[in-house]
Amino acid sequence: MSRLWARVAGLFKSKSFIGADQTGNKYFSRMEEIDGLVKEKRWVVFRREEDPTSVPVEWICWLNGQRKRAPTPEEMAELEARRERVKLNVARLKKEEEERKAREGTGRKITSIGKVEGPDLSSFVRQFPPDSKGGKPEETSGEADQSRVKEHEPEVVTAEPPEPKTTEPSGSGSSFKPGTWQPPS
């Protein structure tokens, strides 16, 4: 019940006018007791429609508690002047860049070609040694397909001598047997 009464009483407490921005939005604050702690509540009253994009960054920082003090009119005027200088510098740099490109002209011809082919991987493949089955890296595609089919055919399993148990997995792909290796205990 006391919380409800505190909220109702809070509606009638005096609010402090903190300031206004260039668009006419007004900023207020008041101290409230929430869960035994006194906290400052900050809010904005919009001049026209509730348009959060009309709130300047400095006021957003104050509303969110990132700034302890509200921005002053002098600070806002200084920041606005700085933003204008930045806009002018950007426009000047864009103009200079366009002029530079115009001076260079079309010295480089850009030709558009239709379909682009993929990279030539033959030099990349040649750097690898022949595989363990004795195949050559430059085998024809038919031979490669046949060797792949043979690799996937079921093989007759012959009894091999048991490999010594180690604490680390070792071996190559040909000697791998799923479920044989166990981590050290």
Side-chain angles (χ1 to χ4, degrees):
M1 185 70 170
S2 63
R3 285 186 183 175
L4 178 63
W5 178 250
R7 285 189 177 213
V8 171
L11 295 174
F12 298 107
K13 284 184 181 178
S14 64
K15 55 187 175 184
S16 302
F17 175 74
I18 302 300
D21 61 21
Q22 289 180 337
T23 59
N25 299 330
K26 296 180 181 179
Y27 301 90
F28 297 92
S29 75
R30 82 166 154 240
M31 300 304 279
E32 288 186 357
E33 184 177 339
I34 301 172
D35 295 332
L37 298 172
V38 178
K39 295 185 179 180
E40 182 180 26
K41 181 176 180 181
R42 301 172 177 180
W43 71 94
V44 61
V45 176
F46 293 97
R47 180 176 177 208
R48 296 184 183 99
E49 296 179 20
E50 285 192 25
D51 182 19
T53 60
S54 69
V55 179
V57 173
E58 293 77 21
W59 282 106
I60 290 173
C61 291
W62 178 79
L63 287 169
N64 291 329
Q66 295 169 341
R67 292 179 63 133
K68 290 186 179 188
R69 295 189 177 127
T72 62
E74 295 82 20
E75 179 185 1
M76 294 298 292
E78 181 182 319
L79 290 170
E80 188 62 33
R82 182 176 183 270
R83 286 185 186 111
E84 287 300 317
R85 285 192 310 268
V86 168
K87 284 180 187 177
L88 291 173
N89 286 340
V90 167
R92 182 179 51 84
L93 289 172
K94 281 184 179 179
K95 184 178 177 182
E96 287 175 5
E97 181 70 18
E98 289 172 1
E99 289 174 357
R100 184 185 61 81
K101 285 183 180 179
R103 269 186 274 131
E104 288 178 3
T106 57
R108 293 184 328 191
K109 290 188 178 180
I110 300 174
T111 58
S112 65
I113 53 176
K115 190 173 181 181
V116 178
E117 294 182 18
D120 180 24
L121 297 177
S122 59
S123 63
F124 176 73
V125 172
R126 273 188 243 122
Q127 69 183 339
F128 294 106
D131 61 320
S132 62
K133 297 193 176 169
K136 296 179 183 175
E138 295 156 358
E139 57 188 6
T140 62
S141 63
E143 292 172 356
D145 291 339
Q146 289 175 358
S147 65
R148 284 191 204 104
V149 169
K150 288 179 184 175
E151 287 177 5
H152 296 291
E153 290 178 356
E155 296 179 17
V156 178
V157 179
T158 59
E160 294 180 9
E163 294 181 16
K165 293 207 174 212
T166 63
T167 59
E168 294 296 323
S170 63
S172 63
S174 63
S175 66
F176 175 74
K177 293 181 185 133
T180 57
W181 180 82
Q182 294 294 322
S185 52

